Amino acid sequence: MSNPIPAQVEPKQSTEPASKYWLRVALDVPLDDLFDYYHDAAVVIGSRVLVHFGRRQMVGVVVETPAQPVFEAKHVKAIDMLLDDTAPLSAASLQMAHFAASYYQRPLGEVLLPVLPLSLRKPAAYTGKRAAGGPVARLRKRRKAAAKTAVADPEIIVLNAEQQAAVQHIHAVDGHQTVLLHGITGSGKTEVYLAAALKVLEQGKQVLFMVPEINLTPQFEQALRRRLQKDGEAYPVAVLHSGLSEGERLRSWLSLEQGEARVLLGTRLSIFAPLASLGLIIVDEEHDTSYKQQEGLRYSARDLAIWRGHTAQVPVVLGSATPSMESWAHAKEGRYQLCSLTQRARTQSLPEIRLVDTRRAQLEEGFSPQFLEAMQHCLDNKQQVLVFLNRRGYAPVLSCTSCGWLSQCKRCSAYTVLHRSKGGRTYLQCHHCGYQAAVPRYCPDCRDQDLKAMGRGTQRVEEFLAEHFTGARVMRIDADSTRLKGSAEKLFSEVHAGNVDILVGTQMVSKGHDFANLGLVVVLNADSQLFAQDFRAPERLFAQLMQVAGRAGRHTAGARVLIQTGYPEQVVYQSLLRQDYAGFARVTLEERKTVGLPPYSYQALLTADAPELARVLSFLTVAKEQAQTLTGIQHVQLYDPVPLRIVRVANSERAQLLAESQHRPALQQFLRHWRHVLTPLAKEYRVRWVLEVDPLEI
């Protein structure tokens, strides 16, 4: 592509080298292009370089070394510095970045650079007096020889017949296959992962183990170090997630790049990590929406894992008690190998699930009498209770009982949530833009002082339970209580140590945790997700409830799960009572096939925002009109532009336009042409836009 932008400026008059080696460099800028530079010596593709781009200095990656530049040669600048403190990105890493950029319709530089540790892409890390030697050299100076930690003798685990069969399936093919490991909660999927991983490690290869959330990494890290050993020494484990410090992330990255770490445990960003001898990819809780990035490059780490496994010719294991509809359909159609674990690994049976009909119930602070009675019974038996409510804060909204005023965010078309700090101070906060305000002493409209908190969040539930069950130790785990680094690990340790009687939590507590003494799970406000506009809402609700129900009775007999609902006849709840994922999936897939929804069609979502909604809708309308002349449009259906459900966020109005096709290649071809229409059109209408492939929420 040509590059006629002001980033290329006249070089200063100087003695030029006898020969120039032309470079095409990818930069992290929202421009769909590569940029021409030169160096006085040959540069290996994949090397990082420091360059001037307009008035800025930036770190880029060399992706081509052409014989001649695309840009006019006399205006091409030399690079400022070749950054050679790490090995160049491998051909496999570059190939994956090219695929991700092409499939998700983003510039290559927006894929290559953000996945690197910050210090490897920060110009300041290489310039100035304090940057002597670069970040890698400085890390090595600070780095002390790692003390060998004592490793307990590996626990001898005897796999049952289903688990053994699953491990054999994973290694049945010499090369790539995708295995969907569908196991009920507590069926021992982790033991299958570890057994399969150990076999790969013994072959001298590396293992990528992916989990959906940061708070799951500490317990999995302990399991990996304890179970993956050779001759009494644990295989080196590296951890990668966004909660690490800059130095920690760089240290993990280097240990992988240099082949020191044999196991990588990470969240979605770990899919881009440098693993030269990759032998196995494991994606735990593969259905989880956390694997989909929602900013910048909006990629699915699960889908990229499958692509990477295919390219590297290694097996990929997708594990879940409630697989995504896409993965289940692939397995049923034979594209994935399906392995099922139908029994719990221990002798305990599945917990009993019951629905509590709230249509005529007298509720006390949102709790039915059956809930409170069951909780007291469980506490009397010295067992723990989990209260699940996927709504943080004290109350969803503050209202005036006289005039009906509601605590509306000043910057969004959403309500501010009432929160309480540890010191008892109350404040209002918007969960969309972060806006905070003091709680008014009286109604801003009618000046009445009788303001009332409507609804319940985890903070209010925690407060009520502490008052109702006098003497019970109540703890809350949600995004508010775990803001500080290490706080989630500390709180979960308290639960596992038996220092908590009642745990109140959001979805953070529903996945992957093995609570030894949990005898009862109660679920509040599940109905809020039943009638959402998104067609995936029932699937998410079923998965969420199955996951949280699976926390109960993993080590204790007679465990129960109680769910309050005003709609007990709904398919989600009836399938849940039978703990029948296969039946729920069959009904859901039949419905989607009838109306042509994913996985039987492919989608892309164009979202735009600007200060005025009219401008956004005009942009989307013209974008739809201009799309009618593009290649591939005959296979693509474009729906009418519509405002988002929460139309205004941070003083910006938002709307969307959905593109859908029965053929993935046709949609991709169309999107490549459409992008070039959207860029100049967005400038004309002065809007920001994002094109998301395979959106999870519409």
Side-chain angles (χ1 to χ4, degrees), residues 369-435:
Q370 295 97 315
F371 266 31
L372 296 174
E373 181 182 343
M375 292 176 69
Q376 185 63 61
H377 179 74
C378 191
L379 294 173
D380 291 342
N381 289 333
K382 306 300 182 184
Q383 292 182 326
Q384 293 171 315
V385 179
L386 169 59
V387 179
F388 179 75
L389 172 62
N390 205 25
R391 177 180 283 169
R392 63 187 179 96
Y394 188 83
V397 65
L398 190 67
S399 72
C400 174
T401 57
S402 296
C403 72
W405 170 86
L406 298 172
S407 56
Q408 178 78 40
C409 177
K410 293 182 177 179
R411 305 191 298 187
C412 306
S413 53
Y415 300 121
T416 52
V417 177
L418 183 64
H419 281 260
R420 276 191 177 172
S421 64
K422 286 186 177 180
R425 182 181 68 89
T426 57
Y427 60 95
L428 296 170
Q429 181 178 10
C430 177
H431 288 181
H432 298 278
C433 72
Y435 167 80

Side-chain angles (χ1 to χ4, degrees), residues 54 89 100 135 186 201 217 235 295 355 412 428 487 532 565 644 655 665 684:
L89 298 181
L201 292 168
T217 56
Y235 284 98
E295 297 176 353
L355 303 178
C412 306
L428 296 170
S487 57
T565 175
L644 269 67
E684 178 184 346

Side-chain angles (χ1 to χ4, degrees), residues 531-548:
F531 306 109
Q533 293 176 328
D534 192 342
F535 69 89
R536 286 190 173 90
E539 175 187 354
R540 290 199 190 100
L541 177 59
F542 184 87
Q544 189 177 78
L545 295 178
M546 279 285 285
Q547 290 291 328
V548 73

